[in-house]
Amino acid sequence: MNSRLSTVLLITLIAALTACGGAKKENTETADVKSAESEWVTLFNGETFDGWKTYGKEGIPEAWTIVDGALVCNAGIGEENVGFSSESLMTTTQYGNFEFELEYKIAKGGNSGIFYHVVEADSLGFDFMTGPEYQVLDDEFSRSESEAFKMVASNYAMQAPAATKKPNPYMQWNKVKIVYNNGHVEHWFNGEKVLEFEEGSDEWKAIKAESKWANTDTYAAFKKGAFSLQNHGDEVHYRNIRVKAL
């Protein structure tokens, strides 16, 4: 075999080995991406109430239906409010540390809320007696709230979100993300982090002591629980609900 042919064969062999290694690396990277994506758990399949129940009861409340792939409370009532109800819709699974996402749209002037670390007990009539609330509200035409620490994206009745938040108009979709990691909490709204705090810190305790939760020992007392969606008597739609344990 002449030297020129040997050189050609060697170059060909090196190229083949490099391509094989590149393909292996690409496959590994693809597998890593798929593994990261698979950490997200879909909590609502867009078609059934599998994985959901009424807070404090079995089954699904009549007020909740599925419309166009979304969980809908009081569908079709528009600007009407039919009165606050204790029948929140809650997950049958529980999480401790998590990253949670969903999208919502709400009727003009509407009010609702997203709770986490919710615990059921015979002595507790409402999810908000245990779970902190990410407020869902139509700020612009709100009939029920006017204080900053009770408006959309707030830690309801505790801490106000940044004034830079950008809610979309009523009955347009907004994106929510809540992060809870060993007491560190982040509220995200339409892609912007609008609130960050340490649950259980001295500052947080001082705020709680002056809040409506001052005498509610069960409020934010549990570090693992369900998620729930509030029926405040208004029309609200929720979709693309998912969670990733941290």
Side-chain angles (χ1 to χ4, degrees):
M1 182 179 296
N2 60 46
S3 59
R4 181 175 180 180
L5 180 59
S6 298
T7 302
V8 170
L9 289 174
L10 180 60
I11 292 172
T12 302
L13 178 60
I14 291 172
L17 290 173
T18 301
C20 181
K24 183 176 180 181
K25 181 180 179 181
E26 182 178 349
N27 289 338
T28 301
E29 290 175 347
T30 301
D32 289 343
V33 170
K34 289 182 177 179
S35 175
E37 290 176 345
S38 69
E39 293 176 1
W40 284 99
V41 175
T42 298
L43 295 176
F44 171 57
N45 62 20
E47 298 178 352
T48 71
F49 287 103
D50 291 350
W52 295 83
K53 66 182 292 293
T54 310
Y55 178 82
K57 303 177 183 178
E58 295 302 320
I60 303 298
E62 290 185 2
W64 290 90
T65 54
I66 298 172
V67 180
D68 296 331
L71 287 174
V72 183
C73 187
N74 300 311
I77 67 170
E79 296 179 38
E80 181 184 359
N81 178 281
V82 295
F84 177 85
S85 171
S86 63
E87 293 185 331
S88 292
L89 199 65
M90 65 176 288
T91 62
T92 57
T93 52
Q94 298 186 349
Y95 288 85
N97 294 329
F98 60 81
E99 185 173 340
F100 174 89
E101 293 183 343
L102 59 67
E103 294 175 320
Y104 80 86
K105 63 180 179 180
I106 194 164
K108 185 176 181 179
N111 188 329
S112 184
I114 304 160
F115 300 84
Y116 57 90
H117 292 170
V118 171
V119 173
E120 291 178 293
D122 292 339
S123 59
L124 302 172
F126 302 96
D127 46 3
F128 57 72
M129 294 184 71
T130 57
E133 178 183 4
Y134 183 114
Q135 172 73 312
V136 172
L137 190 78
D138 173 29
D139 279 8
E140 185 177 3
F141 297 100
S142 174
R143 298 182 297 266
S144 55
E145 308 295 354
S146 59
E147 299 167 290
F149 70 137
K150 294 182 179 179
M151 307 304 278
V152 69
S154 66
N155 180 27
Y156 182 74
M158 287 283 289
Q159 290 138 311
T164 56
K165 67 182 183 181
K166 298 177 180 64
N168 292 320
Y170 64 88
M171 291 307 283
Q172 292 187 24
W173 292 104
N174 293 276
K175 187 169 184 178
V176 166
K177 179 168 73 172
I178 306 170
V179 180
Y180 185 97
N181 194 359
N182 295 323
H184 179 78
V185 184
E186 298 177 6
H187 285 195
W188 291 73
F189 189 54
N190 289 332
E192 177 189 2
K193 183 165 64 175
V194 295
L195 179 60
E196 188 170 11
F197 60 92
E198 299 295 327
E199 185 181 272
S201 66
D202 289 343
E203 179 183 8
W204 182 91
K205 290 176 181 176
I207 294 171
K208 180 179 181 292
E210 298 296 325
S211 76
K212 66 182 295 182
W213 317 117
N215 297 316
T216 306
D217 294 337
T218 54
Y219 173 80
F222 301 93
K223 305 311 171 190
K224 183 176 182 180
F227 296 99
S228 70
L229 307 175
Q230 186 183 55
N231 178 0
H232 205 278
D234 295 301
E235 180 175 351
V236 60
H237 301 231
Y238 291 102
R239 70 180 184 185
N240 296 332
I241 309 170
R242 64 178 191 165
V243 64
K244 177 166 61 176
L246 300 179

